Structure formats: structure tokens, C-alpha cells
Amino acid sequence: MEFVITGDGSNTLYHPEIGEHYHSKHGALQESRHVFIEMGLNHFLREENTNEVSVLEVGFGTGLNFLLTADEAIKKSLQLRYCGIEAYPLATDVIFATGYNQFVQPATWDAFLRQYSAALKEGVEFSAAVSLKIAHEKLISFQSHDTFDVLYFDAFAAIHQPEMWTDESLAHICSFLKPGGVFVTYAITGNLKRSMKALGFTVEKAPGAPGKREMLRATKVG
């Protein structure tokens, strides 16, 4: 794998076996901030007016979504419980070479450097307000007694990783989302909209990150 500089100057990784980048080539940072922080986390917080939030991420990858979420939680004095699912965790030297330290507070980055390896084995107290666990397993094998407020679905595109986007996979992972919980992803297709509606979600088109006209956000009914 190799680092690629995206349109906003932030790095992403190209995965040659999958044939895809981990983030948008138009801008890794702006995609993560728009799709997951603004359209996911902050949307949920505006709707619920709470100071506690739990996030489940499919595709922990480079950790960019977590870093931005943790930083946002710390700045807003939120209690954050974060679980990322990653079947193929990146080596620590790759994680640390991303250059993402320039986009978050030094304390957030320093804690990530210290805790990444441990979080792959068990849940860790990332900070006084943030906990982190990285589930080293495939989506369909994931199990948890916990449920979550927000689900970041950041798998590789369906054309490259179709098994992640099947009705079975979506039903399994969405079972861990609380009623009223929010599902967000960078993608939007007819199949995905139909699948989410069949699972009992209210589906909406939201403005996409640069390079994409639209994205999907869905709220679990019940």
C-alpha cells in the first residue's frame, strides 16, 4: 500500500488488492469531516441534545474518522464511546505515518499513538471522556452487548467489496443501532436506499462531500 495526497492536501492510502483508496481522492479530511462528523455525529447531537454519544464504525482503517470524532467530543465536553470494526488493521507504523496529527489537537494525537495497539486487543480509556475499542474481525462476525447512537458505514465501495453491502450485512450491523440512531455513509444507490427502508429506517439524501453530489443518511425508526 502507498500513501496518496488527496485534493485537500491530506493523505489517504491506496489498497492495491482492493483497487481503491481508503478515502476520497478529492479530499480525505474534508470527506471525513463532512460525511461522518457533520452529517452523522453533529446531526445526531442537534437532534438529541445530549452530552453522551456512542459511535460504531465499519471500516476503522487509518483512524481518521475516530480522531476527528474524539477531537470533536473533547472540544464539546461530550462523553464518547467509540467502537471501530476492522478485519485487517493497519500496522502501527502506517497509522503513525498518516500525517493526521496536523488535523487534531496534540493531546488527541498523542493519546492515539499510545493507545492504538492496545485498543486492538481490548477497550481502552482513550481520555477521561473517550473510550475506544477496535474489533479485529469481519463485519458479519461482530457481536456486542452494547448498542450505539451513530453508525459510520465507511466500507470500501460495493463494486470492490460487495459482501459488505448485502442485505444480510446491513441487517446485522444495523441491529446494533439504537432506535432513533443515525446511519451515515458516503455512498447512495438505489439498492442501498431500498435495503435501509426495508430495515425500518427513514432514508434521506444529504449533500455529498466534494466529488459526490449526494450521500445517504438514515434514521432507525422505533
Side-chain angles (χ1 to χ4, degrees), residues 5 50 121 128-129 133 151 186 219 222:
I5 299 175
T50 179
K121 301 172 184 175
K133 178 176 175 58
L151 201 166
Y186 61 87
T219 303

Side-chain angles (χ1 to χ4, degrees), residues 58-87:
V58 174
F60 188 84
T62 62
L64 179 57
N65 293 336
F66 166 70
L67 284 166
L68 295 177
T69 303
D71 215 37
E72 191 81 357
I74 292 167
K75 285 188 287 187
K76 291 183 174 180
S77 300
L78 300 173
Q79 290 288 326
L80 170 67
R81 174 169 53 86
Y82 198 105
C83 179
I85 303 172
E86 181 54 64

Side-chain angles (χ1 to χ4, degrees), residues 16 22 71 82 89 92 96 101 104 113 117-118 120 126 135 147 161 164 167 173 176-178 181-182 204 210:
Y22 275 69
D71 215 37
Y82 198 105
T92 54
F96 300 158
N101 57 301
V104 295
L113 293 185
S117 294
L120 287 167
F126 184 81
T147 53
Q161 216 172 26
M164 300 290 284
D167 290 344
I173 203 62
F176 300 101
L177 195 60
K178 297 175 184 178
V182 175
E204 58 183 310

Side-chain angles (χ1 to χ4, degrees), residues 135-172:
H136 182 184
E137 58 191 321
K138 294 183 177 181
L139 175 157
I140 205 67
S141 302
F142 176 75
Q143 295 294 334
S144 175
H145 295 297
D146 296 323
T147 53
F148 299 84
D149 299 307
V150 184
L151 201 166
Y152 296 170
F153 199 84
D154 201 15
F156 288 118
I159 192 172
H160 297 293
Q161 216 172 26
E163 70 278 7
M164 300 290 284
W165 301 81
T166 64
D167 290 344
E168 180 186 9
S169 292
L170 291 168
H172 176 69

Side-chain angles (χ1 to χ4, degrees), residues 167-218:
D167 290 344
E168 180 186 9
S169 292
L170 291 168
H172 176 69
I173 203 62
C174 287
S175 70
F176 300 101
L177 195 60
K178 297 175 184 178
V182 175
F183 172 107
V184 282
T185 186
Y186 61 87
I188 186 164
T189 66
N191 285 339
L192 179 59
K193 287 187 288 184
R194 285 188 290 272
S195 294
M196 297 306 294
K197 287 177 181 177
L199 290 171
F201 282 74
T202 301
V203 174
E204 58 183 310
K205 296 177 183 178
K212 284 187 178 291
R213 189 163 57 91
E214 296 173 332
M215 55 165 280
L216 183 140
R217 179 168 63 207

